[in-house]
Amino acid sequence: MSNISAWRLGARDALPLLGGYIPVAISFGLIAVQAGFTAGAAVLISTLIYAGASQFLFIAMVAAGAPLWLVIVMTLLINARHVVYGPNLAPYLPSGRLWPWLMHGLTDQIFALAHTRLPQLLESQRLGWYCSAALIAWGSWIAGTALGAVAGAEITARWPLLGQVLPFALPALFIVLLAPRFTSWQWTCTLGSTALVALALKLAGHSNLAIPLAALCGAVVFYLLQQQATRTEAQHEH
Amino acid sequence: MSTEIWLTLLACAAGTLLLRMLPLLWMQRHLRRRDPVRQGEAMPLWLTVLAPTMIAAMLGVSLIPVSETASGWLATVLASVVTVLVWRRTRSLGWPVCAGVGVFGLVSVLALLSM
């Protein structure tokens, strides 16, 4: 596969993300303008912070007049889950000064895609694939924000169903990324319980805690099952 | 926006970038010190477990439909099943997502028409 093909593959892999990113970005643009930010400021927030949940929190807290140090702390706390993404990709990233800066594009979804796709690519193709996928995702987030800030109210009024249907692209993408990992009883229990805990936490209103807390619960399940398997194996040997 | 809010925005942006960037630099340094042939084994086990569980958690969170009605949940369940079935058949990334979104849309439209 040539470098151009890697860029093309990255673009194709990132396409499902648009279904999830654009409707949420439109909502963000609309809410930011309603909260008193200009369209330009909303676009700049999406360009620079580029992290969905924390951006909504940023505008809500600033609009409510919260202390600005608290805005920074809360934004970073919500984004703290990102600390496990880079290290997991590190073995697949060739050396280069560009890579650390490219981590700006490492959202939840790009991480999920990259964690599956990068090991399948040659080292020389990884930069092209990552840049292509990350740029499409980033671009769609910025464009969606601009669209929402300028015409969000009109769009949501005219096509209300679009905003309900397109976001299913994200769970569908995660299903496809996870499906090959259901390779054993241990992984099935771990991943199944993680998804259920995250779902329950979100339904209970703990949106910001749901991902890191559920992932930790899943890791605990994994270790418990492994411990049990090791114990059973030891008993059989005796 | 006032200067203070601009500075807050810049601090949030820089902090978020560092949260994404510094752990990568730390792990790259850690891996460089190890045998390059056995890099996979140099990764701490907890980190390799946490990566798929993070993706599973993202799935759980994203499964909640925008409209939390009976038809919204029905569309989610049916579209998820179709996504898995199409993935089993094609083993590709794009087609299962397209099929899932298509079924979700179809169920949503049918629910709307039956009201």
Side-chain angles (χ1 to χ4, degrees):
Chain A
M1 193 200 289
S2 68
N3 205 17
I4 295 174
S5 312
W7 275 80
R8 229 178 270 153
L9 181 66
R12 216 177 54 196
D13 285 349
L15 278 182
L17 298 183
L18 304 192
Y21 275 31
I22 292 175
V24 180
I26 288 175
S27 313
F28 174 73
L30 176 64
I31 291 170
V33 169
Q34 285 172 347
F37 288 85
T38 62
V43 168
L44 213 62
I45 293 169
S46 277
T47 308
L48 295 176
I49 299 182
Y50 187 36
S54 64
Q55 286 184 214
F56 281 97
L57 187 83
F58 179 89
I59 54 165
M61 286 185 81
V62 169
L68 296 178
W69 64 266
L70 191 63
V71 176
I72 298 172
V73 170
M74 291 306 293
T75 303
L76 297 184
L77 267 179
I78 290 179
N79 293 335
R81 67 182 184 281
H82 291 174
V83 296
V84 299
Y85 296 165
N88 265 293
L89 296 184
Y92 313 118
L93 304 185
S95 56
R97 288 187 177 175
L98 204 58
W99 277 111
W101 299 103
L102 291 175
M103 292 301 106
H104 178 59
L106 193 64
T107 57
D108 296 330
Q109 296 76 17
I110 288 293
F111 163 71
L113 263 182
H115 194 252
T116 303
R117 188 61 92 184
L118 287 180
Q120 300 167 354
L121 296 175
L122 293 175
E123 211 172 272
S124 58
Q125 298 160 345
R126 290 174 186 163
L127 182 66
W129 180 91
Y130 181 89
C131 285
S132 170
L135 278 175
I136 284 190
W138 192 30
S140 73
W141 183 252
I142 295 168
T145 302
L147 196 63
V150 175
E154 201 181 322
I155 291 168
T156 47
R158 192 174 289 188
W159 296 292
L161 207 58
L162 222 55
Q164 289 180 27
V165 174
L166 288 182
F168 186 78
L170 285 186
L173 179 68
F174 292 136
I175 287 172
V176 175
L177 294 176
L178 278 176
R181 296 177 196 269
F182 284 79
T183 48
S184 63
W185 178 239
Q186 187 180 11
W187 274 113
T188 303
C189 287
T190 301
L191 299 176
S193 60
T194 306
L196 284 176
V197 170
L199 183 81
L201 283 170
K202 177 89 191 275
L203 283 174
H206 305 292
S207 300
N208 296 325
L209 272 177
I211 292 177
L213 208 59
L216 280 176
C217 288
V220 169
V221 170
F222 180 88
Y223 277 109
L224 287 176
L225 290 173
Q226 195 172 42
Q227 229 170 28
Q228 199 184 16
T230 315
R231 226 178 284 146
T232 316
E233 221 170 85
Q235 275 171 355
H236 280 300
E237 277 173 14
H238 288 295
Chain B
M1 281 202 309
S2 68
T3 312
E4 287 84 6
I5 296 175
W6 279 113
L7 289 175
T8 307
L9 167 61
L10 288 178
C12 290
T16 304
L17 175 62
L18 289 175
L19 283 172
R20 290 167 173 166
M21 183 200 269
L22 292 180
L24 171 79
L25 292 172
W26 165 73
M27 182 52 79
Q28 280 182 327
R29 232 175 101 183
H30 176 72
L31 292 176
R32 265 199 300 271
R33 287 189 193 146
R34 301 284 176 118
D35 178 359
V37 183
R38 302 172 66 191
Q39 279 197 351
E41 294 166 40
M43 288 276 286
L45 181 63
W46 62 267
L47 205 54
T48 57
V49 173
L50 217 48
T53 57
M54 288 294 260
I55 302 173
M58 290 176 213
L59 167 66
V61 165
S62 64
L63 275 175
I64 298 168
V66 176
S67 146
E68 287 182 50
T69 56
S71 62
W73 283 107
L74 179 70
T76 302
V77 171
L78 290 178
S80 301
V81 170
V82 168
T83 303
V84 172
L85 291 176
V86 176
W87 173 80
R88 281 176 67 122
R89 202 174 164 82
T90 62
R91 301 273 161 173
S92 66
L93 198 84
W95 289 115
V97 176
C98 284
V101 173
V103 169
F104 193 97
L106 190 71
V107 176
S108 302
V109 169
L110 288 176
L112 206 69
L113 290 175
S114 66
M115 272 175 22

mmCIF file of all heavy atoms in Angstrom, chain A residues 55-75:
data_model
loop_
_atom_site.group_PDB
_atom_site.id
_atom_site.type_symbol
_atom_site.label_atom_id
_atom_site.label_comp_id
_atom_site.label_asym_id
_atom_site.label_seq_id
_atom_site.Cartn_x
_atom_site.Cartn_y
_atom_site.Cartn_z
ATOM 1 N N GLN A 55 -15.804 21.147 26.212
ATOM 2 C CA GLN A 55 -16.171 22.410 25.560
ATOM 3 C C GLN A 55 -17.545 22.883 26.016
ATOM 4 O O GLN A 55 -17.750 24.063 26.270
ATOM 5 C CB GLN A 55 -16.198 22.214 24.035
ATOM 6 C CG GLN A 55 -14.831 22.121 23.427
ATOM 7 C CD GLN A 55 -14.886 22.026 21.919
ATOM 8 O OE1 GLN A 55 -14.064 21.364 21.335
ATOM 9 N NE2 GLN A 55 -15.842 22.654 21.254
ATOM 10 N N PHE A 56 -18.499 21.936 26.126
ATOM 11 C CA PHE A 56 -19.836 22.290 26.607
ATOM 12 C C PHE A 56 -19.737 22.835 28.032
ATOM 13 O O PHE A 56 -20.394 23.805 28.391
ATOM 14 C CB PHE A 56 -20.761 21.060 26.573
ATOM 15 C CG PHE A 56 -21.292 20.753 25.198
ATOM 16 C CD1 PHE A 56 -20.692 19.807 24.389
ATOM 17 C CD2 PHE A 56 -22.411 21.412 24.709
ATOM 18 C CE1 PHE A 56 -21.177 19.522 23.120
ATOM 19 C CE2 PHE A 56 -22.912 21.137 23.437
ATOM 20 C CZ PHE A 56 -22.293 20.186 22.646
ATOM 21 N N LEU A 57 -18.897 22.176 28.843
ATOM 22 C CA LEU A 57 -18.720 22.615 30.222
ATOM 23 C C LEU A 57 -18.080 23.999 30.262
ATOM 24 O O LEU A 57 -18.482 24.863 31.050
ATOM 25 C CB LEU A 57 -17.829 21.610 30.969
ATOM 26 C CG LEU A 57 -17.723 21.872 32.455
ATOM 27 C CD1 LEU A 57 -18.916 21.261 33.176
ATOM 28 C CD2 LEU A 57 -16.436 21.299 33.022
ATOM 29 N N PHE A 58 -17.101 24.226 29.390
ATOM 30 C CA PHE A 58 -16.398 25.509 29.329
ATOM 31 C C PHE A 58 -17.389 26.653 29.102
ATOM 32 O O PHE A 58 -17.418 27.613 29.880
ATOM 33 C CB PHE A 58 -15.353 25.462 28.197
ATOM 34 C CG PHE A 58 -14.582 26.740 28.012
ATOM 35 C CD1 PHE A 58 -13.408 26.955 28.709
ATOM 36 C CD2 PHE A 58 -15.035 27.724 27.145
ATOM 37 C CE1 PHE A 58 -12.690 28.144 28.550
ATOM 38 C CE2 PHE A 58 -14.337 28.905 26.974
ATOM 39 C CZ PHE A 58 -13.155 29.113 27.671
ATOM 40 N N ILE A 59 -18.229 26.517 28.071
ATOM 41 C CA ILE A 59 -19.150 27.637 27.784
ATOM 42 C C ILE A 59 -20.208 27.782 28.873
ATOM 43 O O ILE A 59 -20.576 28.891 29.234
ATOM 44 C CB ILE A 59 -19.801 27.540 26.383
ATOM 45 C CG1 ILE A 59 -20.484 26.201 26.182
ATOM 46 C CG2 ILE A 59 -18.836 27.837 25.284
ATOM 47 C CD1 ILE A 59 -21.418 26.212 24.991
ATOM 48 N N ALA A 60 -20.659 26.633 29.426
ATOM 49 C CA ALA A 60 -21.689 26.706 30.481
ATOM 50 C C ALA A 60 -21.126 27.408 31.718
ATOM 51 O O ALA A 60 -21.793 28.271 32.307
ATOM 52 C CB ALA A 60 -22.161 25.299 30.843
ATOM 53 N N MET A 61 -19.901 27.072 32.109
ATOM 54 C CA MET A 61 -19.322 27.662 33.319
ATOM 55 C C MET A 61 -18.971 29.135 33.112
ATOM 56 O O MET A 61 -19.202 29.954 33.991
ATOM 57 C CB MET A 61 -18.069 26.866 33.743
ATOM 58 C CG MET A 61 -18.414 25.518 34.367
ATOM 59 S SD MET A 61 -16.967 24.650 34.984
ATOM 60 C CE MET A 61 -16.705 25.442 36.556
ATOM 61 N N VAL A 62 -18.414 29.453 31.939
ATOM 62 C CA VAL A 62 -18.070 30.859 31.668
ATOM 63 C C VAL A 62 -19.345 31.698 31.627
ATOM 64 O O VAL A 62 -19.408 32.778 32.220
ATOM 65 C CB VAL A 62 -17.272 30.985 30.339
ATOM 66 C CG1 VAL A 62 -17.144 32.446 29.922
ATOM 67 C CG2 VAL A 62 -15.892 30.364 30.500
ATOM 68 N N ALA A 63 -20.384 31.178 30.953
ATOM 69 C CA ALA A 63 -21.646 31.915 30.854
ATOM 70 C C ALA A 63 -22.282 32.108 32.233
ATOM 71 O O ALA A 63 -22.940 33.109 32.492
ATOM 72 C CB ALA A 63 -22.611 31.188 29.922
ATOM 73 N N ALA A 64 -22.074 31.117 33.135
ATOM 74 C CA ALA A 64 -22.670 31.212 34.472
ATOM 75 C C ALA A 64 -21.816 32.064 35.415
ATOM 76 O O ALA A 64 -22.190 32.277 36.565
ATOM 77 C CB ALA A 64 -22.829 29.804 35.054
ATOM 78 N N GLY A 65 -20.675 32.530 34.930
ATOM 79 C CA GLY A 65 -19.812 33.384 35.738
ATOM 80 C C GLY A 65 -19.005 32.635 36.784
ATOM 81 O O GLY A 65 -18.630 33.208 37.818
ATOM 82 N N ALA A 66 -18.701 31.379 36.535
ATOM 83 C CA ALA A 66 -17.901 30.584 37.482
ATOM 84 C C ALA A 66 -16.468 31.119 37.530
ATOM 85 O O ALA A 66 -16.008 31.721 36.558
ATOM 86 C CB ALA A 66 -17.890 29.123 37.036
ATOM 87 N N PRO A 67 -15.750 30.906 38.649
ATOM 88 C CA PRO A 67 -14.352 31.348 38.704
ATOM 89 C C PRO A 67 -13.547 30.686 37.583
ATOM 90 O O PRO A 67 -13.708 29.483 37.334
ATOM 91 C CB PRO A 67 -13.864 30.840 40.071
ATOM 92 C CG PRO A 67 -15.091 30.490 40.834
ATOM 93 C CD PRO A 67 -16.184 30.226 39.873
ATOM 94 N N LEU A 68 -12.697 31.482 36.930
ATOM 95 C CA LEU A 68 -12.015 30.963 35.738
ATOM 96 C C LEU A 68 -11.016 29.848 36.059
ATOM 97 O O LEU A 68 -10.813 28.946 35.256
ATOM 98 C CB LEU A 68 -11.347 32.111 34.975
ATOM 99 C CG LEU A 68 -12.351 33.133 34.418
ATOM 100 C CD1 LEU A 68 -11.643 34.271 33.705
ATOM 101 C CD2 LEU A 68 -13.358 32.483 33.472
ATOM 102 N N TRP A 69 -10.409 29.889 37.265
ATOM 103 C CA TRP A 69 -9.492 28.795 37.631
ATOM 104 C C TRP A 69 -10.251 27.476 37.721
ATOM 105 O O TRP A 69 -9.742 26.417 37.361
ATOM 106 C CB TRP A 69 -8.754 29.098 38.949
ATOM 107 C CG TRP A 69 -9.651 29.190 40.160
ATOM 108 C CD1 TRP A 69 -10.201 30.323 40.673
ATOM 109 C CD2 TRP A 69 -10.109 28.108 40.981
ATOM 110 N NE1 TRP A 69 -10.982 30.029 41.767
ATOM 111 C CE2 TRP A 69 -10.939 28.674 41.985
ATOM 112 C CE3 TRP A 69 -9.913 26.731 40.977
ATOM 113 C CZ2 TRP A 69 -11.566 27.904 42.958
ATOM 114 C CZ3 TRP A 69 -10.547 25.966 41.960
ATOM 115 C CH2 TRP A 69 -11.354 26.559 42.926
ATOM 116 N N LEU A 70 -11.539 27.572 38.177
ATOM 117 C CA LEU A 70 -12.357 26.363 38.299
ATOM 118 C C LEU A 70 -12.725 25.817 36.904
ATOM 119 O O LEU A 70 -12.795 24.602 36.696
ATOM 120 C CB LEU A 70 -13.632 26.675 39.100
ATOM 121 C CG LEU A 70 -14.449 25.481 39.545
ATOM 122 C CD1 LEU A 70 -13.675 24.587 40.495
ATOM 123 C CD2 LEU A 70 -15.749 25.941 40.234
ATOM 124 N N VAL A 71 -12.922 26.745 35.960
ATOM 125 C CA VAL A 71 -13.217 26.340 34.580
ATOM 126 C C VAL A 71 -12.043 25.503 34.041
ATOM 127 O O VAL A 71 -12.233 24.437 33.453
ATOM 128 C CB VAL A 71 -13.450 27.580 33.673
ATOM 129 C CG1 VAL A 71 -13.661 27.156 32.226
ATOM 130 C CG2 VAL A 71 -14.635 28.393 34.167
ATOM 131 N N ILE A 72 -10.820 25.983 34.300
ATOM 132 C CA ILE A 72 -9.620 25.271 33.811
ATOM 133 C C ILE A 72 -9.518 23.896 34.486
ATOM 134 O O ILE A 72 -9.327 22.870 33.814
ATOM 135 C CB ILE A 72 -8.342 26.105 34.093
ATOM 136 C CG1 ILE A 72 -8.411 27.433 33.347
ATOM 137 C CG2 ILE A 72 -7.082 25.327 33.671
ATOM 138 C CD1 ILE A 72 -7.308 28.413 33.709
ATOM 139 N N VAL A 73 -9.697 23.870 35.804
ATOM 140 C CA VAL A 73 -9.566 22.602 36.539
ATOM 141 C C VAL A 73 -10.599 21.590 36.050
ATOM 142 O O VAL A 73 -10.269 20.427 35.771
ATOM 143 C CB VAL A 73 -9.733 22.848 38.070
ATOM 144 C CG1 VAL A 73 -9.855 21.534 38.821
ATOM 145 C CG2 VAL A 73 -8.543 23.638 38.602
ATOM 146 N N MET A 74 -11.852 22.027 35.916
ATOM 147 C CA MET A 74 -12.921 21.099 35.503
ATOM 148 C C MET A 74 -12.693 20.593 34.074
ATOM 149 O O MET A 74 -12.901 19.414 33.778
ATOM 150 C CB MET A 74 -14.293 21.780 35.606
ATOM 151 C CG MET A 74 -14.744 22.062 37.020
ATOM 152 S SD MET A 74 -14.727 20.626 38.098
ATOM 153 C CE MET A 74 -16.013 19.644 37.383
ATOM 154 N N THR A 75 -12.282 21.506 33.189
ATOM 155 C CA THR A 75 -12.015 21.107 31.791
ATOM 156 C C THR A 75 -10.932 20.029 31.745
ATOM 157 O O THR A 75 -11.070 19.008 31.060
ATOM 158 C CB THR A 75 -11.546 22.341 30.978
ATOM 159 O OG1 THR A 75 -12.540 23.339 31.083
ATOM 160 C CG2 THR A 75 -11.338 21.994 29.521
#
